[in-house]
Amino acid sequence: MKRRDFITSSLIAGGLISVGSLGCTSKRETDQVVPDGVVVEPARQIPVLAKTDVLVVGGGPAGVAAAIAASRAGAETYLVERYNHLGGLWTGGLVLPLLSTHGTGKNGERKQVIHGIGGEMAERLLKMGMAIREVNPVVDPEAAKYVLDEMIVDAGVKVLYHTWGANVIKEDNTIKGVFVESKSGRQAILAKVVIDCTGDGDIYNWCGESFDEMKYHIGLVHRLGNTDRVDSSAPGFKKIYLGDETPNPSVRWYNMHGEDEQCGTDMLNLSRLQQKYRMEIWKNTENIRKQPGYEQVYLLDTASQLGVRASRILDGEYRLTLEDTMTFKSFNDAIGVSGAWTTMLYKGKRVEIKDRPYWQIPYRSLLPKKTDCLIVAGRCFCFEKALVEDTRIIGTCLITGHGAGAAAALAVKQNVKPRDIDRKALRKLLINQNVWLG
Amino acid sequence: MYGWVKNFVKKNLRTIFFVLVFFLSLPIEWGILQGIYLWLSPNIVINRLMAQQGLIFVQVFSFIVLWICIKRKRWFCHSLCPLGWCFHIVKWKKTRKNSIFKNIKGGEIVALFSIGLSLGGVSLLLIFDPLVILRTFFSGWILPVSICGALWSSFFLLLLILNLFLPYFWCNHICPLGGMQDLAVGLSKEPVVLFSRRNTLVLLAGWIIGYLFTDKIKIKEEKTILRPPSARKGSVFYTSCLRCGNCVDVCPTSIIQLDQSLDNFLSWQTPLLNYSKGYCLSDCVKCGQVCPGGALAPFSIKDKKYMLIGMAQLDLRACLLTQNKECDRCKSVCDYEAISIVHELLKSQIHIDNEKCVGCNACVLICPQNAIKVLAV
């Protein structure tokens, strides 16, 4: 090829490429970027990662209980978890106490109400010496992560760590599966029944279910180390708060009430809080270390996730009310019983913790109104806002999770929609799985 | 059959009414019906009007009663008055029903004087109204019974004893309700009667005395006593309260009690709040609805956030948030949005907005630490 030819051909080619690329970009811009700050995502084909019976999104206390219950009942189960551990706020969130394990019966007797998978977890941790107290135990987070992993593996649940649920796959009003996003890119998992254990109700939000938005206080828990190496004989020593007891003698966990009335699903807000809290915690620890006698205390860790206590609350088939929890209301489709951990006002009177009745949770509170084949468990199921203090608690999440998992497995087995499962069979299955139904 | 029933009712109307009064006075949850018969007395209504306390719609009934009384002489006494029924039962001398109201004298003056007092702002003579006398008799036995209650209710027993010796003396010569009926009959015939020398003098005397009473006599108000939400301030409260106990019976959370301390005579048997086991519900307006004398003004749910009962005060040292424990119970139950939680450097603190707090006691009641108190203002 002559030099001139080469130049002209390359020029022509270059021109063509540039024209082509220009055309391409301008076309994509008009297609994807819509003027009012929205982008259109082009349709694409997503590989199906798996087809399964039951898919649990979210590996917190509710998700783990749901996955184990479903798998033990004979359904093939997948669990999707965004972090590298199970247990959600209980372990990674460092909210260590498992509250509401006990409730008061009709004759005023106080008894354990959380059995089943949740009870099993607490029992195992107690046996390992990694929990203090039998009533409302405080656990070691690493031990809890280990126990949950062990139980999940034993039950044969397939876990996808580091994976986010990204959207739902829906046909009419039936959920067919969930898109997940991870380092492997976007993938789809198809399932006969999906259990929404995201805590914030992401799945039912994507399904278009209606819900209440609750703005509540959001905190960030941290732990302090060397809390047993405080020198109380130092001159000028003053007792200061270092957090609450954990199974580890040198470690205390430090809870934070946090800013009030915060939106738990707004990422910008959550990021702001995260940064603010981390700085506050560091500053506070520095202040502690400056006190005479406290020099060796250090910041062990901050929680891997913010303590979002309540966000979306489902508008489901039945709204559990404060009255239900105060009057021993009995449901024919009860999936479990939970206890209480704080005082409450009812009909103008104060009800002490020790007098708070245990309360049944009905299966229909876990069912969304429109979407089929979706069950909701964890702190975002359907209840009255006045109840939030009791429903958002880890104990209650374990109960709703277990119920949802068992119901999902039953729906697969009976080949019906979760809405239509035989309530008697559900009751039998739950009792077989050692759940106490009151 | 119908005629028989009609006859029976006609003959025994007063007995039936007494039975009704008896049951509506029992401390059973009658709701708005509690002591509703008090509204039937034209005496109470007219005095309340004169004292400018405002009316509520059930009082329309009393005007119907007054109208019948103008048509038929002393109709109320013959057909409704439960006190008259009691007098009829408790007496030695046999008296025929028709010969009861003879030699009527004096009632008119008492009624006029009472109206005069009310014009001056003191509707205190209402406690002589027969329905009120009966109601206070019953309210005296609202548990726990105290000396004040027993003394108040003993007035009824005293009248019964008086009746043994002087049958119907009270009805003929003192009863302001009876007097008011006579007055109404007289006025309907000759409206000029009101301006006769005697009547004008009595009215003026009552008015002046009432005026002086409210103005000069300052009642020592105890700053520690919490009153129901719409309680009137100052001496008006003490003079317009009939001590009937309607508000006590109607309160759904049983926080209203009668004052049983003997210290202040004027405060005997008046309603006050006992916050130890309940709080004032934000959606309840019952006490204002059942108050016949107007000591508790009627109010709507919307008004409730402006009705100051007291002021919540927080002991920060006892608050769980100060101890870095998680708690928002008080905020969760505050219906007036008076409580906020301020976060700063890991610490959260409860802040009570004095502008919005009405002192309903909900936060006090739910606080696991008993860190809040409601103080009278």
Side-chain angles (χ1 to χ4, degrees), chain B residues 229-272:
Chain B
S230 68
R232 288 181 187 275
K233 303 279 176 274
S235 56
V236 189
F237 174 76
Y238 298 93
T239 53
S240 55
C241 175
L242 304 182
R243 278 78 170 164
C244 66
N246 276 358
C247 48
V248 179
D249 291 334
V250 86
C251 181
T253 51
S254 321
I255 49 170
I256 305 184
Q257 282 185 356
L258 295 179
D259 189 356
Q260 297 177 331
S261 73
L262 289 167
D263 313 340
N264 187 354
F265 168 70
L266 276 167
S267 177
W268 283 17
Q269 293 290 93
T270 52
L272 52 80

Side-chain angles (χ1 to χ4, degrees), chain A residues 134-255:
Chain A
E134 221 166 290
V135 180
N136 300 340
V138 177
V139 303
D140 180 81
E142 288 307 320
K145 286 176 193 173
Y146 167 76
V147 165
L148 297 191
D149 250 350
E150 196 179 51
M151 285 173 73
I152 276 273
V153 170
D154 285 350
V157 178
K158 291 163 186 124
V159 181
L160 295 167
Y161 279 128
H162 303 290
T163 307
W164 280 76
N167 206 343
V168 290
I169 305 162
K170 238 175 75 167
E171 246 172 49
D172 297 328
N173 269 337
T174 308
I175 186 165
K176 293 284 180 190
V178 170
F179 290 115
V180 295
E181 198 86 48
S182 66
K183 288 280 177 190
S184 316
R186 181 167 282 222
Q187 289 164 311
I189 301 174
L190 301 178
K192 289 175 184 159
V193 180
V194 176
I195 305 179
D196 182 354
C197 295
T198 52
D200 294 317
D202 294 343
I203 304 293
Y204 65 68
N205 176 34
W206 289 321
C207 283
E209 289 290 334
S210 59
F211 53 83
D212 287 336
E213 191 98 54
M214 182 149 187
K215 292 202 168 167
Y216 217 43
H217 46 119
I218 295 176
L220 182 68
V221 187
H222 67 281
R223 292 192 298 171
L224 295 175
N226 273 350
T227 52
D228 55 343
R229 297 196 186 171
V230 172
D231 180 13
S232 58
S233 60
F237 173 84
K238 255 196 313 189
K239 216 171 170 211
I240 45 175
Y241 179 77
L242 291 179
D244 293 327
E245 231 185 331
T246 69
N248 191 329
S250 64
V251 176
R252 295 179 86 87
W253 75 284
Y254 202 120
N255 195 5

